[in-house]
Amino acid sequence: MAEWINDFRVKFINNFITDNRWKYLLNGLGITLEVTFFSALIGIFIGFIIAIIRSTHDKTGKMKLPDALCKLYVTVIRGTPVVVQLLIIYFVVFASVNVNKVIAAIIAFGINSGAYVAEIVRSGIMSIDTGQMEAGRSLGLNFFQTMYYIILPQAFKNVLPALANEFIVLLKETSISGYIALQDLAKGGDIIRGRTYDAFMPLIAVALIYLFMVVLLSKGVEIMERRLRSSDR
Amino acid sequence: MIGEVLIKVENLSKSFGSIKALDGVDAEIRKGDVAVIIGPSGSGKSTFLRCLNLLEVPTGGKIFFEGTDITDPRVDINKHRQKMGMVFQQFKLFPHMTVLDNMILSPIKVLKQPREQAVRKAVELLERVGLADRMNAYPSQLSGGQKQRIAIVRALCMEPDVMLFDEPTSALDPEMVGEVLDVMRKLAGSGMTMVVVTHEMGFAREVGTRIIFMDEGKIVEEKSPSELFSNPSSDRLKAFLAKVL
Ligand SMILES: Nc1ncnc2c1ncn2[C@@H]1O[C@H](COP(=O)(O)OP(=O)(O)O)[C@@H](O)[C@H]1O
Ligand SMILES: [Mg+2]
């Protein structure tokens, strides 16, 4: 037992302390959070616009061409692996310009997440009674005012837990950033593995950090869901 | 006092696919009118009312509101909707807003009123219908009758020239019908022009200045209440009255 503890200590020092190797994890975590946060913002932005266009089309039959384009986007994004999308953004779209890898990843994951957010928000908008739009319009509000003040707040509240879950998935998905040699959390662990020839410790550490963040965020979603339900008067 | 023509409907028609909901309707609503529309279910009453503020886009015909043909696609319908209040069977309050916020939203956003002015007007209207103490409640905390009274004063906050009611008491428990009809009666008494679809024949007879009987997408008869109830001329109206009276 004492031997095992000693062995663990040596490995721990070798993997994390020597040459400040823990910095790969810390810096990687920073990159992971940065990519997740900004791609979530882009995802929300793209997702809401697409959701509004598509549900407007579903309800009124207007905006045929924009709706078709949105549908195409959602189909392509949801129909191809996100790692392929990331590679295409970095090596094809930005092939000739020297773009920061973090930016490339944020754009790729943002575009990816936009398609999923769009479907979530669209289902939220469609779940609101058409009477709400009619009531808003009959009071003289125009279409966009009614969307903004009446439909979207209700839709958003309905889909908030689903949206939060989407961003938890996104957090985990950014772990493929290593494909474009971006040193995120997962890549950080992998770099340590390459230095120490010890796979167990750095990879388990990485897994635990992801797990910790996901559990924490899920807990937050749970609390939020309970709050929302209790405010449903 | 019945005054000048406010709404003039010419040869209005509306089809949903093969269903002719409205089939060549002509009508005139004058200032101060309380026009009550009656008729069997599916006869096109709601469609007629909803066409008046273009919640349904007519398939044919014209609607003049205060002299403007609002079926002209170049017309800004939002401008005209501000002048037409609408009350629905299902209240359609905004559930995520308090009573007060429900009422001041469009005066602030559409009429660009300062918030204080909108609130003052809203509170005054709430007092008139006895609901000032419910100002900060959410719709789900109100009874059906209260919701409908709020829906009425919400529409009144826009100071409309005409109020459209689509079966405002049909979704209410019987004991709440009276409180809503009371508000409508007072509103009519204040001179508001009203178009009311209802099955409340007592209200129609007492408050209506004209009764319009619709059947199968057409206006079949249009008379003063006393004449219509005592002397229905068409068989269809006779059959309808026999059922509802
Ligand atoms: N949105 C719609 N789509 C298809 N048919 C409709 C729609 N709205 C009304 N209708 C049809 O139009 C006819 C008239 O309906 P409506 O105006 O609601 O009648 P009422 O209010 O007198 O009961 C009915 O046959 C109804 O089924
Ligand atoms: Mg109806």
Side-chain angles (χ1 to χ4, degrees):
Chain A
M1 186 67 192
E3 199 180 324
W4 186 86
I5 290 177
N6 195 44
D7 186 43
F8 184 91
R9 203 178 66 93
V10 171
K11 275 192 177 164
F12 187 89
I13 289 173
N14 186 36
N15 276 300
F16 302 126
I17 312 293
T18 312
D19 293 343
N20 281 334
R21 287 190 178 128
W22 56 273
K23 280 196 173 165
Y24 288 114
L25 296 185
L26 186 67
N27 294 341
L29 176 61
I31 298 279
T32 292
L33 292 177
E34 189 184 350
V35 170
T36 304
F37 179 77
F38 287 105
S39 49
L41 284 189
I42 295 178
I44 288 180
F45 182 75
I46 296 178
F48 267 81
I49 290 177
I50 292 193
I52 291 170
I53 292 173
R54 293 211 55 204
S55 46
T56 302
H57 173 267
D58 288 356
K59 290 197 172 179
T60 65
K62 287 177 191 161
M63 303 224 250
K64 278 212 172 63
L65 182 64
D67 177 69
L69 291 175
C70 291
K71 225 185 258 171
L72 180 68
Y73 162 82
V74 171
T75 307
V76 168
I77 295 297
R78 301 211 302 173
T80 54
V82 58
V83 62
V84 175
Q85 294 163 19
L86 177 67
L87 292 172
I88 289 176
I89 292 285
Y90 187 65
F91 291 111
V92 179
V93 177
F94 289 126
S96 52
V97 281
N98 199 358
V99 69
N100 182 320
K101 286 183 178 119
V102 175
I103 306 276
I106 287 174
I107 291 173
F109 288 114
I111 288 176
N112 178 267
S113 147
Y116 292 92
V117 171
E119 289 303 283
I120 293 172
V121 175
R122 186 168 79 104
S123 76
I125 293 175
M126 296 308 280
S127 74
I128 305 299
D129 178 18
T130 34
Q132 291 285 303
M133 177 57 84
E134 290 182 350
R137 299 306 303 278
S138 77
L139 286 166
L141 296 162
N142 65 34
F143 178 86
F144 291 102
Q145 287 173 320
T146 311
M147 258 301 171
Y148 186 78
Y149 294 111
I150 296 165
I151 309 293
L152 286 181
Q154 295 181 59
F156 187 65
K157 187 179 154 186
N158 287 352
V159 300
L160 205 49
L163 273 184
N165 281 322
E166 158 62 19
F167 296 128
I168 292 175
V169 171
L170 179 64
L171 172 76
K172 288 184 287 176
E173 268 183 350
T174 61
S175 63
I176 58 164
S177 297
Y179 272 88
I180 60 169
L182 177 62
Q183 296 191 11
D184 71 328
L185 177 58
K187 183 73 180 173
D190 201 43
I191 289 173
I192 297 177
R193 183 187 62 80
R195 299 279 152 84
T196 62
Y197 301 106
D198 178 9
F200 179 83
M201 218 174 249
L203 295 186
I204 294 295
V206 164
L208 286 176
I209 298 173
Y210 276 112
L211 182 64
F212 175 74
M213 291 192 293
V214 169
V215 168
L216 200 72
L217 289 171
S218 305
K219 200 78 210 158
V221 174
E222 218 173 90
I223 293 170
M224 186 172 72
E225 270 185 306
R226 212 172 312 132
R227 287 249 176 92
L228 286 179
R229 225 174 299 133
S230 67
S231 75
D232 270 339
R233 280 167 269 230
Chain B
M1 274 305 289
I2 307 295
E4 71 209 63
V5 177
L6 205 57
I7 304 175
K8 188 172 167 59
V9 175
E10 284 178 7
N11 198 22
L12 187 66
S13 62
K14 172 70 185 179
S15 305
F16 296 101
S18 59
I19 300 171
K20 275 191 173 173
L22 291 180
D23 188 8
V25 171
D26 294 290
E28 241 179 41
I29 310 292
R30 289 170 174 277
K31 224 172 219 149
D33 253 343
V34 178
V36 178
I37 303 177
I38 60 173
S41 166
S43 57
K45 306 181 298 294
S46 294
T47 306
F48 176 69
L49 213 57
R50 292 160 56 82
C51 278
L52 292 184
N53 67 356
L54 293 199
L55 283 183
E56 299 290 354
V57 179
T59 328
K62 284 183 173 14
I63 300 166
F64 294 91
F65 177 57
E66 299 180 336
T68 313
D69 177 10
I70 59 173
T71 59
D72 184 334
R74 284 166 302 184
V75 161
D76 177 10
I77 186 59
N78 297 316
K79 279 262 165 310
H80 297 285
R81 283 201 183 117
Q82 295 164 25
K83 303 259 124 215
M84 301 179 167
M86 178 130 186
V87 175
F88 304 88
Q89 185 177 340
Q90 299 295 343
F91 328 129
K92 304 192 181 180
L93 297 180
F94 308 134
H96 61 302
M97 293 179 183
T98 63
V99 165
L100 185 67
D101 286 336
N102 263 275
M103 294 175 70
I104 64 177
L105 177 68
S106 56
I108 291 176
K109 299 302 170 191
V110 178
L111 302 180
K112 312 286 179 205
Q113 286 179 6
R115 192 187 156 86
E116 310 80 73
Q117 183 189 341
V119 169
R120 212 179 313 124
K121 173 89 189 165
V123 171
E124 182 193 310
L125 283 163
L126 282 171
E127 276 164 359
R128 228 188 289 167
V129 295
L131 287 171
D133 57 326
R134 307 301 282 148
M135 180 164 86
N136 294 315
Y138 282 86
S140 56
Q141 299 167 314
L142 304 174
S143 72
Q146 291 176 329
K147 283 185 204 173
Q148 195 61 298
R149 283 185 281 158
I150 298 296
I152 293 171
V153 286
R154 177 176 73 176
L156 290 176
C157 278
M158 295 295 284
E159 306 193 350
D161 293 340
V162 57
M163 286 284 286
L164 313 174
F165 294 83
D166 191 0
E167 299 197 28
T169 58
S170 296
L172 297 177
D173 292 336
E175 72 269 20
M176 294 173 182
V177 169
E179 64 192 65
V180 171
L181 290 181
D182 270 348
V183 170
M184 293 171 62
R185 203 173 285 123
K186 271 191 219 158
L187 191 59
S190 75
M192 175 62 75
T193 309
M194 295 162 59
V195 184
V196 184
V197 174
T198 187
H199 295 296
E200 296 292 331
M201 292 304 149
F203 177 86
R205 197 194 296 249
E206 178 197 345
V207 182
T209 55
R210 273 184 314 137
I211 314 281
I212 296 170
F213 172 63
M214 284 186 73
D215 195 20
E216 294 180 353
K218 291 191 168 76
I219 293 182
V220 180
E221 267 183 69
E222 187 181 342
K223 285 178 177 158
S224 72
S226 51
E227 234 182 309
L228 182 125
F229 285 109
S230 59
N231 190 15
S233 43
S234 66
D235 291 340
R236 282 193 280 181
L237 176 55
K238 281 177 199 160
F240 175 74
L241 290 177
K243 248 184 274 168
V244 296
L245 287 181

Coordinates of all heavy atoms in Angstrom, one line a residue, chain B residues 14-17 19-22 37-50 56 89 166-167 197 199 214 216-217, ligand 1:
Chain B
K14 N -64.0 35.2 -48.2 CA -62.8 34.6 -47.7 C -63.0 33.1 -47.8 O -64.0 32.5 -47.3 CB -62.7 34.9 -46.2 CG -61.6 34.2 -45.5 CD -60.2 34.6 -45.9 CE -59.1 33.7 -45.3 NZ -57.7 34.0 -45.8
S15 N -62.1 32.4 -48.5 CA -62.1 31.0 -48.6 C -60.9 30.4 -47.9 O -59.8 30.9 -47.9 CB -62.1 30.6 -50.1 OG -63.1 31.2 -50.8
F16 N -61.2 29.2 -47.2 CA -60.1 28.4 -46.7 C -60.1 27.2 -47.6 O -60.9 26.3 -47.4 CB -60.3 28.0 -45.3 CG -60.3 29.2 -44.3 CD1 -61.5 29.7 -43.8 CD2 -59.1 29.8 -43.9 CE1 -61.5 30.8 -43.0 CE2 -59.1 30.8 -43.0 CZ -60.3 31.3 -42.6
G17 N -59.2 27.1 -48.6 CA -59.2 26.0 -49.5 C -60.6 26.0 -50.2 O -61.0 27.0 -50.9
I19 N -63.5 25.7 -48.6 CA -64.5 26.2 -47.7 C -64.7 27.7 -47.9 O -63.8 28.5 -47.8 CB -64.1 25.9 -46.3 CG1 -64.0 24.4 -46.0 CG2 -65.2 26.5 -45.3 CD1 -63.4 24.1 -44.6
K20 N -65.9 28.1 -48.3 CA -66.2 29.5 -48.4 C -66.7 30.0 -47.0 O -67.9 29.9 -46.7 CB -67.3 29.7 -49.4 CG -66.8 29.8 -50.8 CD -67.9 30.3 -51.8 CE -67.4 30.6 -53.2 NZ -68.5 30.9 -54.1
A21 N -65.8 30.6 -46.2 CA -66.2 31.0 -44.9 C -67.0 32.3 -45.0 O -67.9 32.6 -44.2 CB -65.0 31.3 -44.0
L22 N -66.6 33.2 -46.0 CA -67.4 34.4 -46.2 C -67.7 34.5 -47.7 O -66.8 34.2 -48.5 CB -66.6 35.7 -45.8 CG -66.4 35.9 -44.3 CD1 -65.6 37.2 -44.2 CD2 -67.7 36.0 -43.6
I37 N -73.5 40.5 -34.0 CA -73.6 39.5 -35.0 C -73.9 38.1 -34.4 O -73.3 37.7 -33.4 CB -72.2 39.3 -35.7 CG1 -71.8 40.7 -36.3 CG2 -72.3 38.3 -36.8 CD1 -70.4 40.6 -36.9
I38 N -75.0 37.6 -34.9 CA -75.4 36.2 -34.4 C -75.5 35.3 -35.5 O -75.4 35.7 -36.7 CB -76.8 36.3 -33.7 CG1 -77.9 36.8 -34.7 CG2 -76.8 37.2 -32.5 CD1 -79.3 36.7 -34.1
G39 N -75.6 34.0 -35.2 CA -75.6 33.0 -36.3 C -75.1 31.7 -35.8 O -74.4 31.7 -34.8
P40 N -75.4 30.6 -36.5 CA -75.0 29.3 -36.0 C -73.5 29.2 -36.1 O -72.8 29.9 -36.8 CB -75.7 28.3 -37.0 CG -76.2 29.1 -38.1 CD -76.3 30.5 -37.6
S41 N -72.9 28.2 -35.4 CA -71.5 27.9 -35.4 C -71.1 27.6 -36.8 O -71.7 26.8 -37.5 CB -71.2 26.8 -34.4 OG -69.9 26.3 -34.6
G42 N -69.9 28.1 -37.2 CA -69.4 27.9 -38.6 C -70.0 28.7 -39.7 O -69.7 28.6 -40.8
S43 N -70.8 29.7 -39.3 CA -71.4 30.6 -40.3 C -70.5 31.7 -40.8 O -70.9 32.4 -41.7 CB -72.7 31.2 -39.7 OG -72.5 31.9 -38.5
G44 N -69.4 31.9 -40.2 CA -68.4 32.9 -40.7 C -68.3 34.1 -39.8 O -67.7 35.1 -40.2
K45 N -68.9 34.1 -38.6 CA -68.9 35.3 -37.7 C -67.5 35.7 -37.3 O -67.1 36.8 -37.5 CB -69.7 35.0 -36.5 CG -71.1 34.6 -36.7 CD -71.9 34.3 -35.5 CE -71.4 33.2 -34.6 NZ -71.4 31.9 -35.1
S46 N -66.7 34.7 -36.9 CA -65.3 35.0 -36.5 C -64.5 35.4 -37.6 O -63.7 36.4 -37.5 CB -64.7 33.7 -35.8 OG -65.3 33.4 -34.7
T47 N -64.7 34.8 -38.7 CA -63.9 35.1 -39.9 C -64.2 36.5 -40.3 O -63.3 37.3 -40.7 CB -64.2 34.1 -41.1 OG1 -64.0 32.8 -40.6 CG2 -63.4 34.4 -42.3
F48 N -65.5 36.9 -40.3 CA -65.9 38.3 -40.6 C -65.1 39.3 -39.7 O -64.5 40.2 -40.2 CB -67.4 38.5 -40.5 CG -67.9 39.9 -40.7 CD1 -67.8 40.4 -42.0 CD2 -68.4 40.6 -39.7 CE1 -68.2 41.7 -42.2 CE2 -68.8 41.9 -39.9 CZ -68.7 42.5 -41.2
L49 N -65.2 39.0 -38.4 CA -64.6 39.9 -37.4 C -63.1 40.0 -37.7 O -62.5 41.1 -37.6 CB -64.9 39.4 -36.0 CG -65.1 40.4 -34.9 CD1 -66.2 41.4 -35.3 CD2 -65.4 39.7 -33.6
R50 N -62.5 38.9 -37.9 CA -61.0 38.8 -38.0 C -60.6 39.4 -39.3 O -59.5 39.9 -39.5 CB -60.5 37.4 -38.0 CG -60.7 36.8 -36.6 CD -60.7 35.2 -36.6 NE -59.5 34.7 -37.2 CZ -58.3 34.6 -36.5 NH1 -58.3 34.9 -35.2 NH2 -57.3 34.2 -37.1
E56 N -57.3 37.8 -40.7 CA -57.5 37.0 -41.8 C -57.4 37.9 -43.1 O -58.0 39.0 -43.1 CB -58.8 36.3 -41.9 CG -59.1 35.3 -40.7 CD -58.2 34.1 -40.7 OE1 -57.5 33.9 -41.7 OE2 -58.3 33.3 -39.7
Q89 N -62.4 35.3 -27.6 CA -63.0 34.3 -26.7 C -62.0 33.8 -25.7 O -62.3 33.7 -24.5 CB -63.5 33.1 -27.6 CG -64.3 32.1 -26.8 CD -64.9 31.0 -27.7 OE1 -65.0 31.2 -28.9 NE2 -65.2 29.9 -27.2
D166 N -65.2 38.9 -30.1 CA -65.5 37.6 -30.7 C -65.9 36.6 -29.6 O -65.1 36.1 -28.9 CB -64.3 37.0 -31.5 CG -64.8 35.8 -32.3 OD1 -66.0 35.4 -32.3 OD2 -63.9 35.2 -33.0
E167 N -67.2 36.5 -29.4 CA -67.7 35.6 -28.3 C -67.0 35.8 -27.0 O -66.4 34.9 -26.5 CB -67.7 34.2 -28.8 CG -68.5 33.9 -30.0 CD -68.8 32.4 -30.2 OE1 -68.9 31.7 -29.2 OE2 -69.0 32.0 -31.4
V197 N -69.7 39.7 -31.7 CA -70.2 38.3 -31.9 C -70.6 37.7 -30.6 O -69.7 37.6 -29.7 CB -69.2 37.4 -32.7 CG1 -69.7 36.0 -32.8 CG2 -68.9 38.0 -34.0
H199 N -73.6 34.9 -28.3 CA -74.8 34.1 -28.2 C -75.7 34.6 -27.1 O -76.7 34.0 -26.8 CB -74.4 32.6 -28.0 CG -73.7 32.0 -29.1 ND1 -74.3 31.9 -30.4 CD2 -72.4 31.5 -29.3 CE1 -73.4 31.3 -31.2 NE2 -72.3 31.1 -30.6
M214 N -76.0 36.0 -39.5 CA -75.2 35.4 -40.6 C -75.5 33.9 -40.6 O -75.7 33.2 -39.6 CB -73.7 35.6 -40.3 CG -73.2 37.0 -40.5 SD -71.4 37.1 -40.3 CE -70.8 36.2 -41.8
E216 N -74.0 30.5 -43.3 CA -73.2 30.0 -44.4 C -72.5 31.1 -45.2 O -72.5 31.3 -46.4 CB -74.2 29.3 -45.4 CG -74.8 28.1 -44.7 CD -75.7 27.3 -45.6 OE1 -76.1 27.8 -46.7 OE2 -76.1 26.2 -45.2
G217 N -71.8 32.0 -44.4 CA -70.9 33.0 -45.0 C -71.6 34.2 -45.5 O -71.0 35.0 -46.2
Ligands
LIG1 N1 -58.0 28.9 -40.3 C1 -59.0 28.2 -40.9 N2 -58.7 27.2 -41.7 C2 -59.6 26.5 -42.4 N3 -61.0 26.7 -42.2 C3 -61.3 27.7 -41.4 C4 -60.4 28.5 -40.7 N4 -61.1 29.4 -40.0 C5 -62.4 29.2 -40.2 N5 -62.5 28.1 -41.0 C6 -63.8 27.6 -41.5 O1 -64.6 28.7 -42.0 C7 -66.0 28.5 -41.6 C8 -66.4 29.7 -40.8 O2 -65.7 29.7 -39.5 P1 -65.9 30.8 -38.4 O3 -65.8 32.1 -39.0 O4 -65.0 30.5 -37.3 O5 -67.4 30.6 -38.0 P2 -68.1 31.1 -36.6 O6 -67.3 32.0 -35.9 O7 -69.4 31.7 -37.1 O8 -68.4 29.8 -35.8 C9 -66.1 27.2 -40.9 O9 -66.5 26.2 -41.8 C10 -64.7 27.0 -40.4 O10 -64.4 25.6 -40.3

